[in-house]
Every structure is written in structure tokens, then in C-alpha cells.
Amino acid sequence: MQLADVRAAEAADATTISRLLAESIRGSYTEILGEIPTRRLISAQCALPRIRAEIEIPGGAPGWLGWLVATGPDGTLVGAAAGGVPVPGEGELYALAVTPGARRRGIGTALLTAAGERMRAFGATEQRVTLPAEQDPSLPFYAHQGFVPIGVTRLHRAL
């Protein structure tokens, strides 16, 4: 297991987060969803102006807890996650991505744990995530983390 430092994202991280998310979506969903839907998903989720604005929201927005990043031993950004508590008691994970070469080393778990701690600090008693596809390649990861289905592509776990 690789140890990763998890911290709040900074403005200088926006470009790397955007690229990391796009690479992760492209690699995970092109075969499942097809080229056009995958491009749409990347366009919606990975737009640099959007990520930059989300990082720079002063004091956060109602329900938004921000972006977290994980860095490897050399300081390179190897993962990112975003979440919030849009409904009292319900934490929502909006994004979680780890660079392909750093997967299965505890980085996703570290990001998920840090996001959960933030959510719990804002009153969340459960954590939810919506996946883009029924055959989502991240299902085993989330199941291992204690998430259970509450819909075809919606999962949750107690915090």
C-alpha cells in the first residue's frame, strides 16, 4: 500500500485535476458507454473553468465541501476527489479518480476516507455516490469500502 498525503486542492491543481479526471473517465467508460457519451461526460465533468471555479469558491457554497487531492511521495498529484453535503445528513461523493499507475495502493481509500471525514464534520451520517454506468469498473472498490446499492447506479454507506 502506498501512502499518500491528502490535502485540500489549490488553484494550481486545477489543470492536473481536469486531466486526471478526463483520463480516468476515458479509460473507464469509453468501452462501456461508447465514444460520444464518454466525450459528453468528460465535457461536463472535467471542464477546467468549472474545476478552477469550484476550487476557488470562497468559503464554499451551500452543500459544497470542495476538492481534495492526493500526492505521492515525490509530491506528484496522483488522485482527486470532490464532495459535499447537499442534503442534511447525506454526504455526496461527486468525483473520485486515481492515476492508472497509482491504483490499488490505497490512494482511493485515503481520498474516500478524507472526504467522509469532511462530510461527517458537516453532519453527514451516510455517504452516497452515483456511478455513470451499471457495469461500472469501480463497483468492486465501492463494495469493498462498504457501499451497497440503493438503485441501479446509486450506492451508499454509513459514515
Side-chain angles (χ1 to χ4, degrees):
M1 181 177 285
Q2 175 178 320
L3 297 177
D5 289 323
V6 176
R7 63 172 171 77
E10 300 168 354
D13 299 320
T15 300
T16 306
I17 292 170
S18 176
R19 288 182 185 147
L20 169 62
L21 286 175
E23 176 184 12
S24 182
I25 291 169
R26 194 175 297 108
S28 296
Y29 298 109
T30 301
E31 287 187 28
I32 295 169
L33 299 175
E35 186 67 33
I36 302 295
T38 300
R39 284 184 190 175
R40 286 186 186 129
L41 187 59
I42 290 169
S43 177
Q45 300 298 317
C46 307
L48 183 56
R50 173 189 171 169
I51 292 170
R52 188 174 287 128
E54 289 172 345
I55 290 171
E56 296 175 356
I57 294 173
W64 172 247
L65 299 180
W67 282 94
L68 296 169
V69 294
T71 56
D74 64 353
T76 302
L77 196 146
V78 293
V85 183
V87 176
E90 295 179 10
E92 186 73 31
L93 186 67
Y94 299 123
L96 176 63
V98 176
T99 59
R103 291 182 182 157
R104 299 187 182 278
R105 296 183 184 160
I107 296 165
T109 299
L111 285 163
L112 187 62
T113 299
E117 289 170 0
R118 274 187 164 192
M119 292 170 186
R120 205 176 3 261
F122 282 84
T125 57
E126 68 177 294
Q127 189 175 45
R128 296 177 177 217
V129 62
T130 300
L131 304 174
E134 286 182 49
Q135 315 87 350
D136 201 289
S138 65
L139 278 169
F141 168 77
Y142 287 112
H144 181 74
Q145 299 298 324
F147 282 81
V148 294
I150 55 173
V152 176
T153 60
R154 191 115 165 97
L155 310 171
H156 82 110
R157 72 173 181 174
L159 284 176

